């Protein structure tokens, strides 16, 4: 048994198999075949390797954002002058990646818990004729409080128990109160981490030093790396009109896009800023018109003469969502080999196509078939297999008909 | 040299190689082999291409969310009536994707900086017998302030310097104060962007128009696209009981799932809403029981008679985390070719399996081995290698020149 | 026609083709070839399958985070004692994944809308000599309000209409007011969902029960799963010095990393916590020095004797961004077959390399070429093609020994 194993091993190590091939000398097929093969090769090298960088492992960034708004607005509402700075206007205050800059508001000062008539709205949803229209203790989806069961004739609306007086938001101030917010500046600090490659990077890249930050303002052409943005610019680059958005509010996405090739120097890994309108309502296929309108309410509470009161603010403003999208590639052996392996597979497809051409679409196809294929059939009647095999490569298969019939001659 | 190059080039372009094959006529092996091959083909076409859409490039969505809670609650605490609306109950106020709806609270009114005894807790952690148990200036992890060094005999706890009186949260109000929050409605606006395909889409899809939004309420069967949700429904669909979660708080994930095939019309790209409980404590394998309990504290500051005071609120509530998970596929040549290449590779595996069968598990295996393999060994003793070779493959091709010219002898 | 189809079908099902191969008995080439093939095999099995678990489908986690800060600080500012607890120090209050712990502040109490001189800064940016330097109604980027047009001789700065007095933040309190924040503890609750595998998991894994949470404190070696962190530890593990960061603020990323193999028991799916500094400024290649400095302003409003006032706080603090990075793998047939297919493709590369060796770098290359390739050229003049072919496959190789020795008979 032992020499057997030895021979098998030596055969395995000292012998290797390579497929036998036919060299087909047929201009048309060969040219077509070479073109296909070169196309596949060009695709693999040019597209997969060069353009898509298929030899790189990919990592997606983990990002952190800190924002700071700066600016001062001056308003003069019926003779009352007031100055607004960022601490008065930005929600939330701590510099999150998603925040709202107030540009307009409806303030309802001195609300207290009381009974008062519901607000009449244009669509008659809150209208009542008699007390029966006002179910005591019930709450309407469009209403502001619990109905007491009385219908107030003055306003033709139900009386409610609520924070009174009820906020009247039927008229949005026009022009917006804080139109000058257009000139506010937004400073964005962004840190990204590619964990797989152990790379941490900030949007304050090499060329953005302290003195540059002090004076620069983002511009896509002239200052594409400056991290300071004018609010009006952001709004207009995202397709909105500032005076419109300032009146009724709106939401804007700021995308910080990192596409880094870490095979090059890290200095080439730079952010790109993009702006677009959010919350579109679908109008037609593939096109979403960004919709206007963004508001929220908040209340400031206080006690006046022992009564709990609040000032309700309906805030209209520009909501900014900053989103980081980072992607880095770096040479890695696994994607390289996977790309090559898959490329060799596609090469196999090219061969299959060529063979189909050769065997089915060429006039001399029978000749080529004969060259490429060898038929084997165990001649069942002959017990002396080895002998028959001696001649094995001789095609004696007489009963085999059409395609290979000439052989049997 | 030049004709040499020319010949090489012409050989390269006008000649192509295709592997020589043996056609094995063995029913058992052939049937097994064809079944394997057809299985591979079915897998590649059916599964990889049809089901998994392997011919598509994939992009992950970037999403933005805006929420708005609506509702009114009425409470009557020891005769004091009070109405609560969304501005009183939702934290933070500006409509973030993650927010809390207050359903229960413990208010500690009028805290001021002072000395007072620590709260006795059931587990005797804050208990003291003598002043020695209270290290002056130290702070206990379970405590609320800095110990002054005195042990108060009344409560058997250390005296602390703190916001006094200390909040007593040993009893959570039951039933929860704002149980009616169940009927609040949540409006979710969601915008997603597939950057690679330049597609922006909102959850207010074509069929969700203004008049529909005014009246609809989400239901998984009847109104799966309505972006307005009842808080009680969200809680129950995520597996909680509303009165339980309202008392001690809890966290719920709302998943907006987009799975879009952009080879079809964008109209078919619609969101799906899912709800599940968060922050489970592991009980048994693969099953996490969502755990109840969510609270946080916040303080409202004011000045009373020249003394800084605060009202400390311990808020229990439903925390909702809205998460967007978007994925779109679109036909692209690279994944298509990669899938094909990889499929051809798997075809190769099928051939290897068939060959193993043929060469090792069939009774006439020696015969087939002989057919498939040709042995070559350089007959070291024979110097006239070419001659022996001349006859081997019997190259009759006389007109063929250089490389194989010896054959023509 | 029918028997034709039948024959084609029976041929297809009962006959299968396998490539003919040459067994090359050349020690050097064979050994090199086997080594390459075994390398490829080892790579596929060892690296792709074992190490990278290429047989698994991958899912990325969707995560939710809830945080709770605990701690008490005691300050004594010019004789005024004050106690601070988490409700006073953490922004925002509701336990978000991104929050700020105040460690230092500059309070400007009692600001009201008024005229006052601008703050003189060291760099003379706000300096003025005469009224002409102060454009009425204009606003400087470095300024705090609208200029009235007057230059105040006392401070040599323009008079502005603003919240007065203007905040003076030229001196940051040193040592930081709330240095004791170092001992605060942070509790993190994290829930992740692998949608594809329908797995929900929390960072309170099996070994983290209630009694353990009550006493434990995170330590990378001894308590790597304890979800309670000391703020000072977080700061130091991320490479900062606590007293420095407490003074001017700074941002820290806390990464919760899940790398789960769901083919094993879910119990092995555990989080890992990592800490790193954010917002670096690039100093040299691939190395980012985390930069200090994090602050924001917020205002508390009140009414005093009928005048609207505010207390402006410039808050310096530790900002913590908690980020979840989850990845789970589970056996799946598609990635398995893709990996195998791609591996077979790479095997093909090995064969190509061996063939290149054999056909171009071996002394007896012509012999091997002859063995491997069969030339075909349609002998246009000879009509009796089959005959010439009949003998072609006749194995004349007499010197070849064992397997084929019978041929030589």
């Amino acid at each position: 048994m032992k020499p057997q194993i030895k021979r098998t091993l030596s055969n395995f190590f000292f012998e290797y198999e390579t497929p036998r091939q036919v060299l087909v000398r047929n201009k048309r097929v060969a040219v077509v075949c070479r073109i296909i093969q070169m196309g596949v090769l060009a695709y693999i090298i040019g597209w997969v390797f060069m353009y898509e960088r298929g030899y790189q492992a990919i990592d997606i960034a983990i990002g952190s954002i800190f924002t700071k708004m700066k600016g001062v607005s001056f308003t003069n509402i019926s003779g009352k002058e007031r100055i607004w700075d960022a601490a008065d206007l930005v929600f939330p205050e701590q510099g999150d990646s998603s925040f709202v800059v107030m540009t307009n508001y409806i303030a309802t000062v001195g609300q207290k818990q009381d009974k008062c008539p519901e607000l009449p709205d244009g669509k008659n949803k809150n209208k009542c004729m008699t007390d029966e229209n006002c179910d005591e203790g019930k709450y309407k989806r469009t209403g502001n409080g619990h109905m007491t069961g009385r219908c107030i004739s003055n306003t033709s609306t139900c009386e409610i128990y609520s924070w009174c007086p009820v906020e009247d938001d039927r008229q949005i101030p026009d022009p917006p109160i804080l139109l000058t917010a257009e000139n506010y500046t937004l400073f964005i600090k962004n840190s990204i981490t590619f964990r797989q490659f152990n790379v941490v990077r900030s949007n304050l890249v090499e060329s953005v030093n302290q003195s540059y930050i002090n004076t620069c303002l983002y511009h896509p052409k002239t200052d594409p790396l400056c991290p300071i943005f004018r609010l009006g610019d952001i709004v207009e680059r995202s397709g909105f009109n500032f005076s419109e958005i300032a009146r009724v509010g709106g939401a804007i996405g700021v995308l910080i896009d990192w596409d880094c090739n870490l095979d090059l120097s890290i200095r080439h890994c730079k952010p790109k800023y993009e702006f677009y309108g959010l919350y579109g309502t679908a109008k037609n296929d593939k096109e979403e018109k960004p919709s206007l309108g963004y508001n929220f309410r908040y209340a400031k509470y206080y006690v006046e003469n022992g009564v709990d009161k609040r000032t309700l603010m309906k805030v209209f403003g520009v909501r900014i969502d900053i989103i980081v999208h980072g992607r880095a590639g770096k040479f890695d052996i696994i994607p390289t080999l996977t790309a090559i392996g898959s490329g060799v597979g596609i090469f196999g497809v090219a061969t299959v196509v060529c063979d189909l051409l050769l065997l089915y679409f060429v006039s001399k196809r029978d000749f080529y078939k004969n060259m490429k294929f060898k038929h084997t059939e165990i001649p069942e009647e002959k017990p002396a297999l080895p002998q028959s095999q001696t001649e094995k490569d001789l095609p004696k298969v007489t009963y085999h008909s059409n395609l290979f019939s000439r052989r049997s001659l």
Side-chain angles (χ1 to χ4, degrees), chain A residues 102-247:
Chain A
M102 177 162 82
T103 53
N104 207 359
Y105 65 86
I106 296 168
T108 313
V109 184
Q111 284 189 328
K112 62 174 178 179
Q113 302 275 338
D114 208 350
K115 287 170 187 173
C116 53
E118 180 65 90
L119 186 76
D121 65 343
K123 294 157 201 155
N124 290 335
K125 275 184 201 158
N126 294 330
K127 207 170 185 176
C128 67
M129 304 304 282
T130 63
D131 289 358
E132 272 105 71
N133 299 137
C134 304
D135 290 349
E136 193 184 335
K138 284 275 161 38
Y139 153 70
K140 274 188 188 168
R141 187 155 148 186
T142 53
N144 291 296
H146 274 230
M147 290 183 275
T148 58
R150 281 183 58 204
C151 184
I152 307 286
S153 50
N154 269 2
T155 57
S156 294
T157 56
C158 299
E159 191 191 57
I160 52 171
Y161 187 83
S162 176
W163 285 103
C164 289
V166 168
E167 177 194 79
D168 180 0
D169 59 352
R170 289 172 297 179
Q171 278 279 320
I172 301 173
D174 193 5
I177 299 168
L178 294 156
L179 196 55
T180 46
E182 196 169 2
N183 290 317
Y184 287 10
T185 55
L186 171 65
F187 172 51
I188 300 177
K189 240 178 168 179
N190 172 222
S191 180
I192 55 165
T193 310
F194 295 109
R195 293 204 62 239
Q196 203 176 320
F197 307 132
N198 211 13
V199 167
V200 177
R201 184 106 176 124
S202 145
N203 69 332
L204 309 179
V205 294
E206 287 77 10
S207 59
V208 180
N209 53 33
Q210 196 55 49
S211 66
Y212 180 64
I213 289 179
N214 282 340
T215 57
C216 76
L217 193 65
Y218 173 83
H219 187 278
K221 292 266 167 58
T222 59
D223 293 89
L225 291 172
C226 177
I228 293 173
F229 304 82
R230 199 173 148 269
L231 188 59
D233 289 352
I234 292 177
V235 168
E236 257 141 53
R237 287 209 176 90
S238 63
F240 286 109
N241 174 289
F242 191 85
S243 62
E244 254 187 275
I245 208 176
R247 197 172 66 86

Side-chain angles (χ1 to χ4, degrees), chain A residues 65 97 190 252-257 276 278 321-325:
Chain A
I65 285 167
S97 65
N190 172 222
I252 290 172
V254 175
L255 183 79
I256 309 183
D257 190 28
Y276 51 95
L278 293 175
D321 274 11
I322 302 173
I323 297 158
V324 181
H325 188 263

Side-chain angles (χ1 to χ4, degrees), chain A residues 3 13 39 45 59 63 71 101 120 171 173 193 228 231 253 255 270-271 320 330 339-340 343 378 398:
Chain A
F13 273 109
I45 292 175
D59 195 18
V101 183
Q171 278 279 320
T193 310
I228 293 173
L231 188 59
L255 183 79
K270 287 173 183 171
I320 294 182
K330 198 174 188 178
I340 291 176
I378 300 186
T398 57

Side-chain angles (χ1 to χ4, degrees), chain A residues 276-345:
Chain A
Y276 51 95
L278 293 175
Y279 309 125
T281 36
K283 288 296 181 289
N284 38 354
D285 256 24
K286 292 217 176 186
E287 203 192 304
E288 301 269 330
K289 220 189 114 198
S291 77
L292 282 167
Y294 180 92
N295 63 72
F296 66 91
R297 285 183 185 82
Y298 80 97
K300 288 188 272 192
Y301 301 90
Y302 57 94
V303 180
E304 205 174 60
N305 304 326
V307 180
D308 281 316
K309 291 196 172 178
R310 73 173 191 186
T311 295
L312 182 67
M313 298 282 287
K314 181 168 184 174
V315 174
F316 301 86
V318 182
R319 172 165 167 161
I320 294 182
D321 274 11
I322 302 173
I323 297 158
V324 181
H325 188 263
R327 189 179 173 282
K330 198 174 188 178
F331 173 78
D332 191 76
I333 192 71
I334 294 211
T336 309
L337 288 178
T338 304
I340 291 176
S342 166
V344 170

Side-chain angles (χ1 to χ4, degrees), chain A residues 51-68:
Chain A
Y51 189 81
E52 297 272 337
R53 304 206 298 261
Y55 57 88
Q56 291 188 331
I58 298 301
D59 195 18
I60 298 299
I62 297 170
S64 272
I65 285 167
F66 165 57
T67 58
K68 197 165 200 170

